[in-house]
Amino acid sequence: MSPLPNMIDPFGRHVEYLRVSVTDRCDFRCVYCMAEDMTFLPKRDLLTLEELDRLCSAFVDKGVRKLRLTGGEPLVRKNIMTLFQSLSRHLVSGALQELTLTTNGSQLAKYAQQLADCGVERVNVSIDTLDHDKFHKITRWGQLGKVMEGLEAARKAGLAVKINAVALKGVNEHEIDSMMNWAHGEGFDLTLIETMPLGEIEEDRTDQYLPLSLVRRRLEEKYTLTEIPYKTGGPARYLEVAETGGRLGLITPLTHNFCESCNRVRVTCTGTLYMCLGQDDAADLRTPLRASESNDEIYAAIDEAIGRKPKGHDFVIERQGEKAAVGRHMSVTGG
Ligand code: SAM
Ligand code: SF4
């Protein structure tokens, strides 16, 4: 157990899960996530991999048990495997229960075995469609074939895979059934996500938003869905699908608020701590990180920030053309 006081917010929630966006850059430009012509942070603003390690380790000292690296695309950050390798010492010591990542899968064929060697046991891979042309349209720059090679490599390396798919009105809405059958047939869990109003993109989010309550009702016409208490530490609620024997996760920030059980905080690649994905309040951890070699100032800054963790977000996608609820993109805060 950590020798320091753990992180408990004003609503009594224990913060044990940290997501770290190790880069805001990506080799895809998914239509719901980024504008095609994105301006990324200057490289000099980023924390080095050594600084990211120190920051993550400070959170482990503060009681984080589960660490997820994300982005942007975490696997496009140069030398990212050195960060996984160094963080794996916390798995070996038992301080950390899980080290994992969310990836678009484009580089997974190259890195799956190395990830497994670092003690990573599960990966979340985002795939919104199994149609090659549609995949290219949604991601603008991605190739589904490369991602499929990544999944094969993950399987060979013994990594458990969860597929994440954003439910998109008129895009993959009639494919969810076949995606579920494919994922469960491959032995993968499938989690569906509602689009969240994060960052300005070129399209209108009202056109993209598909409530998962509707998706669920449609699936229930064909399948027997039973709610199960299965938890991975994230915000998904799980259903068991009797006909496939697989699990279906639902992440429903809009139709069902999951904030009451929130155990997460997020850090960006510049060392900004966001206590809630859906709120702007943040704390700068880069300054205390660089101020001294001791971690005391970082611990103090974390404690102060956790004391301000808000009760929840207030995403709404109702009015046509409404601006993003939060100005920063998901790729900055990390999904
Ligand atoms: N690049 C990696 C990937 O795509 O898996 C990791 C980062 S990405 C921001 C993490 C997850 O957030 C992905 O599953 C993506 O589909 C999802 N995402 C991105 N923008 C979103 C939005 N506006 N609403 C809901 N989910 C979003
Ligand atoms: Fe990149 Fe992931 Fe955003 Fe797609 S969802 S643009 S893969 S960060």
Side-chain angles (χ1 to χ4, degrees):
M1 281 302 277
S2 147
L4 294 168
N6 285 355
M7 297 178 285
I8 303 176
D9 79 1
F11 305 95
R13 296 170 298 189
H14 288 243
V15 176
E16 296 185 329
Y17 184 174
L18 176 68
R19 296 192 181 197
V20 181
S21 175
V22 296
T23 174
D24 62 331
R25 290 165 196 256
C26 188
D27 53 346
F28 290 6
R29 290 288 181 280
C30 301
V31 291
Y32 50 79
C33 180
M34 292 192 183
E36 184 153 24
D37 176 23
M38 289 285 286
T39 310
F40 294 109
L41 294 163
K43 289 213 168 116
R44 62 175 183 279
D45 286 356
L46 303 196
L47 296 186
T48 64
L49 293 174
E50 291 75 17
E51 287 174 324
L52 280 169
D53 177 277
R54 205 177 131 209
L55 197 51
C56 291
S57 301
F59 273 98
V60 173
D61 295 341
K62 291 291 296 168
V64 158
R65 310 282 289 146
K66 188 170 164 176
L67 181 57
R68 175 177 296 278
L69 302 193
T70 176
E73 175 47 41
L75 297 181
V76 301
R77 172 112 193 218
K78 206 167 158 211
N79 295 329
I80 189 65
M81 282 304 129
T82 61
L83 181 60
F84 278 100
Q85 269 149 13
S86 64
L87 290 172
S88 69
R89 71 185 182 283
H90 299 302
L91 291 171
V92 175
S93 76
L96 201 59
Q97 264 167 9
E98 187 174 48
L99 173 62
T100 182
L101 76 155
T102 303
T103 174
N104 65 22
S106 69
Q107 313 293 314
L108 202 50
K110 185 167 155 200
Y111 289 125
Q113 188 57 53
Q114 292 179 59
L115 288 166
D117 293 344
C118 294
V120 173
E121 293 179 351
R122 298 192 306 136
V123 291
N124 287 8
V125 182
S126 304
I127 301 179
D128 302 322
T129 176
L130 295 174
D131 178 300
H132 287 255
D133 291 339
K134 215 187 274 181
F135 185 86
H136 189 64
K137 278 200 188 103
I138 296 173
T139 60
R140 291 195 185 103
W141 296 1
Q143 302 292 341
L144 182 58
K146 285 293 289 176
V147 179
M148 290 295 170
E149 285 170 25
L151 291 180
E152 201 40 49
R155 185 195 304 283
K156 279 208 187 100
L159 297 172
V161 172
K162 189 182 84 172
I163 304 293
N164 280 346
V166 176
L168 296 163
K169 186 158 88 182
V171 178
N172 61 4
E173 86 173 277
H174 297 296
E175 218 195 310
I176 288 171
D177 183 342
S178 53
M179 282 192 72
M180 184 176 83
N181 276 294
W182 165 78
H184 290 173
E186 297 285 326
F188 306 150
D189 287 348
L190 171 69
T191 292
L192 303 173
I193 310 172
E194 285 174 345
T195 51
M196 291 173 245
L198 300 173
E200 293 301 322
I201 52 171
E202 280 130 0
E203 300 186 18
D204 187 334
R205 291 190 190 275
T206 328
D207 294 338
Q208 299 179 339
Y209 174 57
L210 175 64
L212 289 183
S213 48
L214 174 63
V215 173
R216 181 174 173 171
R217 269 202 308 281
R218 286 183 185 157
L219 285 173
E220 276 171 337
E221 287 169 13
K222 244 175 109 178
Y223 298 93
T224 319
L225 308 180
T226 313
E227 291 198 18
I228 50 170
Y230 179 74
K231 276 268 152 216
T232 59
R237 290 174 298 143
Y238 281 89
L239 304 166
E240 195 170 65
V241 185
E243 289 75 6
T244 62
R247 278 189 295 250
L248 178 69
L250 303 177
I251 299 185
T252 52
L254 289 116
T255 55
H256 175 269
N257 202 317
F258 48 55
C259 302
E260 65 277 6
S261 59
C262 181
N263 59 351
R264 293 172 293 285
V265 290
R266 293 171 159 85
V267 169
T268 70
C269 52
T270 57
T272 303
L273 171 64
Y274 283 98
M275 288 71 84
C276 172
L277 178 65
Q279 302 281 356
D280 285 324
D281 191 26
D284 167 32
L285 299 183
R286 187 173 56 184
T287 304
L289 180 81
R290 290 183 175 168
S292 103
E293 279 178 20
S294 142
N295 282 350
D296 291 346
E297 289 183 42
I298 307 176
Y299 299 141
I302 293 173
D303 282 337
E304 192 275 327
I306 297 298
R308 293 190 268 128
K309 184 167 161 61
K311 195 164 180 199
H313 64 68
D314 34 35
F315 294 142
V316 200
I317 307 182
E318 269 173 357
R319 291 180 294 280
Q320 194 80 25
E322 188 168 34
K323 277 171 75 79
V326 169
R328 60 186 192 279
H329 291 87
M330 185 80 136
S331 50
V332 173
T333 332

